[in-house]
Amino acid sequence: MCGIVGYVGCNLAYPVLIDGLKKLEYRGYDSAGVALHAGNSLEVYKKEGKVANLEEYVYGKNIQATVGIGHTRWATHGVPSDRNAHPHLSNSGGIAMIHNGIIENYAQLKEELVLKGYTFKSDTDSEVLLNFIEDIKINNECSLEEAVRIALRRVVGAYVILLIDTDLPDTIIAARKGSPLVIGIGENAHYLGSDASPMLAYTKEVVYINDYELAIVKPDELILKNLGNERITPFVQKLDMELAAIEKGGFDHFMLKEIFEQPQTIFDSLRGRMDATIPAITLSGIEKIKGKILEANRIIIVACGTSWHAGLLAEYVIEELCRVNVEVEYASEFRYRNPIITDKDIIIAVSQSGETADTLVAIENAQKQGATIFGLVNVVGSSIARMSDAGAYTHAGPEIGVASTKAFTAQLAVLYLVALKIGQLKGTIENTLFNKLLEDLAKVPEHVQHILEDQNEHIREVAKKYTDARDFLYLGRGYNFPIALEGALKLKEISYIHAEGYPAAEMKHGPIALVDESLPVVFVATKDPYHEKIVSNIQEIKARKGMVVAVISQGDEVIPTLADDVIVVPQIHEIIAPILSVVPLQLLSYYIGLNRGLDVDKPRNLAKSVTVE
Ligand code: M6R
């Protein structure tokens, strides 16, 4: 997630900005930059890579500015590179801006600006917004503050922006909607940041800026206004948080923070791509290879670990909705087999990092044999994203916990869209089902929010009962089977407890021999057409004295009479339900790992990105 910092005061701005950018490194980023007031002009320094690269680049320069802005970029539009790094300079060179967020209607704004003769040095939506603001300022002969206000009324999307202007030597203009902004109050100085970590060394007095507010920030003055130009009294709060707590957003671990971010990250991955009211799906990556998709004999999904589980669920969904053959392959196996690939194959590569070596080589091999590669990746500009012929980013933001949580649900959200879009293109999905699935998908963020609010404490209690178990079995049928696998993987990673995921009906072919009074069996048992069958499976476990924890749909009156513990999720179409069912299982693993005193963010022997085979 991008990080922003700003400083207006009497001291040198550059060291404050660099220090602030380092404090924001934990958010994940691919490039960094600063812009400073230098007399009548603006100086911009930016570099791909770490803040240390930027420091090296600036080393030896005599920067005397006392006003400046700085940015760490997590790419969304345009690959990580020097030219896509922030800050951006407007066409006149008179305004510099940093931006955190996504401008959804940037293409339309860009078209208008190009017609007026504007040129762009980067591929970013941010540079478009900056020039849009400059254009308004010039045409309306108004102040920067007024131009920002007018511009933001036309902007669709999320943003925090900080701007400096050669016409305003001691001022930063800032505004927010949907992305965080904090302003720290110092002695004859103000500090701006995505969170309070960059300013903690200087002040504990802060103002959290709300959506649709605009700040005019000078060394000795902070003016807050709404977009209607009315003054708002800043609400000053005293911070009593330590740095580590701020980085984790007040949560004890990144994993927990990322689990709780899911209502937002799922929303972000759907945003601008679907409209349940029309109803319609926009996925430019699918449009790009539409011809290939319509001719395809087969879709092969290639991935590892949690991403493979997302791929397995996608196999079920795509086959159901698109009536095309789908195979799901472990990338590590696929790359060393001699699979029969033709130019009628579409490969969907699913990867959070976009750098997993096995997945990368697997798709390289398939591409050489003529297959078309569609990358479903979280990290913009990563190797898999660059290699793909087309793709869709999952927009989950940086995932720091080694165990994948929010990246998984973002993958599922986008894979649902991919399946629905292909089904629509092929004419294999009925309108009523298409509309229902889109409607239910739109409700997922609020349902996940509800699960987190309603079930978190209960799951924490349930976890206590099972913390000392030696083994776990996770069972599910149909769309819930991949979630059983994912639940088992999460538990293994975080708690080091042996756990196996199985199709519920396969249990009687072997694993049932494991069942006794010491074995907890987790059923993913939300309502679907086979509900009675999973009820029978639960009875089979209970008959052998196993302990049953079941994730069930709201309104289920049968399973609570059989299971030892139930975790309730909202009722939703069975195809979409897995994206809800996985959330309690993430929490269950987290609390069991925590109870066992383990490092849940960095489990032993695991790496976040497996770039070796
Ligand atoms: O970055 P990728 O999605 O390609 O990574 C694949 C796996 O290494 C990853 O999902 C791994 O299984 C995680 N630790 C799961 O929590």
Side-chain angles (χ1 to χ4, degrees):
M1 222 93 63
C2 300
I4 56 145
V5 294
Y7 174 77
V8 273
C10 309
N11 296 323
L12 292 182
Y14 177 71
V16 180
L17 297 178
I18 284 291
D19 185 50
L21 292 179
K22 286 181 182 165
K23 295 283 187 324
L24 292 173
E25 282 188 306
Y26 77 92
R27 297 165 71 90
Y29 68 105
D30 50 57
S31 50
V34 291
L36 300 123
H37 257 296
N40 294 330
S41 62
L42 301 174
E43 284 175 17
V44 175
Y45 305 98
K46 49 190 192 172
K47 272 276 154 217
E48 187 184 345
K50 295 288 163 202
V51 175
N53 288 6
L54 174 68
E55 272 188 293
E56 208 174 291
Y57 176 58
V58 175
Y59 184 76
K61 299 201 164 62
N62 182 18
I63 303 175
Q64 291 301 315
T66 57
V67 177
I69 54 181
H71 190 265
T72 48
R73 174 171 187 255
W74 165 264
T76 55
H77 291 88
V79 296
S81 63
D82 290 354
R83 66 187 186 88
N84 284 335
H86 297 214
H88 295 288
L89 264 184
S90 63
N91 269 206
S92 75
I95 311 173
M97 189 182 93
I98 54 177
H99 167 222
N100 172 11
I102 297 174
I103 306 301
E104 281 160 26
N105 57 339
Y106 82 100
Q108 189 196 337
L109 300 177
K110 189 169 183 175
E111 237 172 70
E112 292 174 18
L113 291 168
V114 168
L115 286 177
K116 289 181 174 179
Y118 279 82
T119 56
F120 296 88
K121 295 193 179 72
S122 76
D123 308 317
T124 63
D125 52 344
S126 314
E127 194 189 5
V128 174
L129 174 57
L130 167 61
N131 282 305
F132 184 55
I133 292 170
E134 166 148 278
D135 186 55
I136 293 171
K137 184 180 172 222
I138 294 169
N139 286 334
N140 293 20
E141 294 180 3
C142 63
S143 65
L144 178 64
E145 174 197 332
E146 184 58 18
V148 168
R149 218 184 337 265
I150 296 170
L152 293 184
R153 285 193 212 119
R154 270 209 57 200
V155 161
V156 180
Y159 54 79
V160 161
I161 51 173
L162 303 192
L163 301 105
I164 53 176
D165 182 344
T166 45
D167 292 343
L168 304 165
D170 64 345
T171 309
I172 293 177
I173 303 283
R176 83 155 257 182
K177 183 199 150 202
S179 296
L181 173 62
V182 190
I183 301 182
I185 302 164
E187 282 221 355
N188 255 324
H190 283 101
Y191 304 84
L192 298 93
S194 297
D195 60 40
S197 58
M199 58 201 71
L200 216 57
Y202 312 101
T203 180
K204 295 245 168 181
E205 297 211 321
V206 299
V207 177
Y208 286 92
I209 307 303
N210 296 310
D211 278 352
Y212 304 107
E213 287 180 358
L214 185 141
I216 302 117
V217 195
K218 300 178 186 231
D220 54 356
E221 194 177 28
L222 167 62
I223 299 172
L224 266 193
K225 293 185 177 177
N226 61 22
L227 293 187
N229 200 19
E230 292 157 340
R231 296 270 294 241
I232 298 165
T233 311
F235 174 58
V236 181
Q237 301 186 42
K238 207 152 181 92
L239 281 178
D240 59 0
M241 273 176 155
E242 292 311 315
L243 190 58
I246 290 172
E247 289 176 348
K248 290 177 188 140
F251 290 94
D252 290 341
H253 296 95
F254 284 111
M255 182 182 176
L256 193 61
K257 173 175 176 253
E258 286 158 5
I259 292 172
F260 273 79
E261 273 171 7
Q262 289 177 111
Q264 184 62 47
T265 50
I266 295 169
F267 178 77
D268 287 345
S269 54
L270 298 173
R271 181 167 56 190
R273 290 171 163 168
M274 62 167 275
D275 189 336
T277 54
I278 300 181
I281 293 174
T282 315
L283 277 177
S284 53
I286 294 289
E287 290 291 344
K288 190 174 169 197
I289 55 165
K290 183 173 152 186
K292 289 273 180 192
I293 288 176
L294 291 175
E295 282 172 13
N297 288 335
R298 186 168 64 151
I299 293 176
I300 305 172
I301 302 176
V302 179
C304 300
T306 287
S307 299
W308 188 88
H309 297 150
L312 184 62
L313 178 61
E315 176 190 27
Y316 286 33
V317 178
I318 296 173
E319 285 198 341
E320 173 68 34
L321 302 181
C322 314
R323 306 312 298 149
V324 59
N325 246 326
V326 183
E327 287 168 23
V328 189
E329 297 276 356
Y330 287 111
S332 52
E333 288 295 311
F334 191 68
R335 64 179 285 195
Y336 287 114
R337 289 205 283 114
N338 190 9
I340 301 151
I341 306 282
T342 72
D343 61 358
K344 292 266 188 297
D345 286 322
I346 305 282
I347 308 275
I348 302 183
V350 186
S351 175
Q352 187 286 127
S353 61
E355 300 296 345
T356 299
D358 286 326
T359 311
L360 196 57
V361 179
I363 62 171
E364 244 165 32
N365 294 345
Q367 201 168 42
K368 279 185 202 141
Q369 294 175 70
T372 302
I373 313 295
F374 183 89
L376 199 111
V377 171
N378 193 37
V379 178
V380 175
S382 54
S383 305
I384 293 174
R386 288 201 306 271
M387 260 205 63
S388 299
D389 300 298
Y393 286 116
T394 47
H395 294 316
E399 193 177 58
I400 294 166
V402 167
S404 190
T405 53
K406 64 174 183 171
F408 178 68
T409 46
Q411 287 169 346
L412 294 188
V414 182
L415 283 165
Y416 283 132
L417 293 180
V418 167
L420 284 162
K421 182 78 191 174
I422 297 177
Q424 200 185 33
L425 289 174
K426 287 173 64 90
T428 49
I429 174 167
E430 280 180 19
N431 280 347
T432 39
L433 180 60
F434 181 85
N435 298 351
K436 168 72 180 148
L437 292 175
L438 222 55
E439 206 179 283
D440 278 8
L441 204 47
K443 288 185 199 145
V444 166
E446 73 187 74
H447 285 325
V448 172
Q449 185 66 41
H450 175 78
I451 295 167
L452 294 169
E453 282 166 13
D454 199 51
Q455 297 289 303
N456 180 42
E457 277 312 309
H458 170 59
I459 296 169
R460 194 205 295 257
E461 286 306 309
V462 171
K464 283 184 192 158
K465 278 172 73 176
Y466 301 101
T467 293
D468 297 323
R470 206 190 57 179
D471 306 281
F472 265 78
L473 202 55
Y474 282 71
L475 302 176
R477 303 178 79 108
Y479 299 112
N480 278 329
F481 166 53
I483 301 305
L485 293 180
E486 176 58 11
L489 178 67
K490 278 301 79 94
L491 188 74
K492 273 184 270 212
E493 289 186 294
I494 300 304
S495 71
Y496 313 153
I497 296 174
H498 167 243
E500 280 192 59
Y502 250 88
E506 268 295 301
M507 169 182 79
K508 56 186 171 296
H509 298 288
I512 200 161
L514 298 170
V515 179
D516 64 15
E517 60 282 351
S518 70
L519 184 79
V521 183
V522 178
F523 277 88
V524 191
T526 49
K527 278 271 174 67
D528 61 19
Y530 330 101
H531 195 248
E532 280 167 21
K533 298 196 182 298
I534 205 139
V535 169
S536 304
N537 297 140
I538 293 175
Q539 280 161 334
E540 284 155 16
I541 297 292
K542 286 314 296 174
R544 286 157 185 84
K545 299 198 170 63
M547 294 176 280
V548 170
V549 181
V551 178
I552 61 167
S553 304
Q554 208 153 23
D556 186 331
E557 288 174 359
V558 180
I559 296 182
T561 64
L562 302 170
D564 297 83
D565 293 286
V566 293
I567 301 166
V568 183
V569 299
Q571 167 113 42
I572 196 164
H573 192 283
E574 74 199 76
I575 292 184
I576 308 289
I579 197 171
L580 303 185
S581 321
V582 73
V583 175
L585 302 186
Q586 297 167 344
L587 285 169
L588 187 67
S589 308
Y590 170 79
Y591 285 118
I592 292 179
L594 196 68
N595 294 345
R596 290 165 76 96
L598 301 172
D599 184 350
V600 289
D601 279 338
K602 290 199 193 85
R604 69 184 179 201
N605 308 337
L606 292 176
K608 183 66 191 158
S609 176
V610 186
T611 52
V612 289
E613 63 170 302

